[in-house]
Amino acid sequence: MNGMPKYSIAQKSGGSHEDDETPLYSLSIEREDETSETICRAVSYASASEMALDHAKHGGYGKYLLNGRICTA
């Protein structure tokens, strides 16, 4: 991870949702041992992005990777 947490946001597939116009996403973090953990599910993209930012800040990181892009916390 080169000292940066690595997050990914993926669109939820399948299932039903009251508002089909609004896609739902999940946020996961990839660990250094190449395992991953889902942090949140069934949220908007904006909420997942904010959660990644908050998670990185809480961990004391100044930068993090989100879907392969470097972001500043």
Side-chain angles (χ1 to χ4, degrees), residues 21-68:
E21 297 290 318
T22 306
L24 297 176
Y25 297 85
S26 64
L27 172 67
S28 60
I29 182 170
E30 184 178 317
R31 307 264 181 227
E32 289 185 32
D33 63 1
E34 297 184 13
T35 61
S36 65
E37 174 187 355
T38 300
I39 297 173
C40 61
R41 291 186 174 106
V43 296
S44 68
Y45 190 91
S47 293
S49 295
E50 286 181 34
M51 179 69 74
L53 173 62
D54 290 344
H55 196 268
K57 280 184 178 180
H58 183 72
Y61 295 98
K63 293 183 179 182
Y64 61 99
L65 290 173
L66 180 59
N67 288 353

